[in-house]
Amino acid sequence: QVQLVESGGGLVQAGGSLRLSCAASGRTFSSYSMGWFRQAPGKEREFVAVISWTGGTIYYADSVKGRFTISRDNGKNTLYLQMNSLKPEDTAVYYCAVARLKISREPAGFGSWGQGTQVTVSS
């Protein structure tokens, strides 16, 4: 089993930036695709971005494309999400997760989740 701990969330004004980190421990981090999801109050958890274990394949949700960048450092067992040009609608709890088998954009495709980090964007 892998343990995931997110950090880097906070309160930022619209147009600002944040960088989320997800530190992994346990099973081999570098062997799995990793993803970021978010959940706003009263809404379902939604896909944000996913990166393959090599970093060679990346997908983004349309709502964040061009503003967010997912990356990973397998040597440090850490996943990142650079968020620029933040909007109030980006306000949510952000979760990192480990894919079960192959790269996916569905929550069901992920087997281990962090506890989440709150991102709040004020207008």
Side-chain angles (χ1 to χ4, degrees), residues 4-7 20-24 29 34 36 77-80 96:
L4 304 171
V5 178
E6 300 97 335
S7 61
L20 305 184
S21 299
C22 172
F29 171 84
M34 300 284 296
W36 286 100
N77 282 3
T78 304
L79 177 73
Y80 302 99
C96 64

Side-chain angles (χ1 to χ4, degrees), residues 27 29-37 47-61 70-72 79 97-111 113:
R27 69 183 182 192
F29 171 84
S30 61
S31 300
Y32 297 89
S33 296
M34 300 284 296
W36 286 100
F37 290 78
F47 167 75
V48 175
V50 64
I51 185 170
S52 64
W53 69 276
T54 63
T57 300
I58 291 174
Y59 298 116
Y60 294 100
I70 189 172
S71 62
R72 65 191 296 164
L79 177 73
V98 180
R100 295 182 187 274
L101 292 174
K102 58 183 180 180
I103 198 166
S104 174
R105 282 171 270 201
E106 298 295 330
F110 292 78
W113 296 80

Side-chain angles (χ1 to χ4, degrees), residues 46-90:
E46 66 172 358
F47 167 75
V48 175
V50 64
I51 185 170
S52 64
W53 69 276
T54 63
T57 300
I58 291 174
Y59 298 116
Y60 294 100
D62 289 342
S63 58
V64 307
K65 202 172 294 183
R67 300 188 298 122
F68 291 10
T69 302
I70 189 172
S71 62
R72 65 191 296 164
D73 185 335
N74 288 341
K76 295 183 178 180
N77 282 3
T78 304
L79 177 73
Y80 302 99
L81 185 68
Q82 178 66 44
M83 304 187 296
N84 298 329
S85 302
L86 283 162
K87 304 175 181 180
E89 51 263 44
D90 294 319

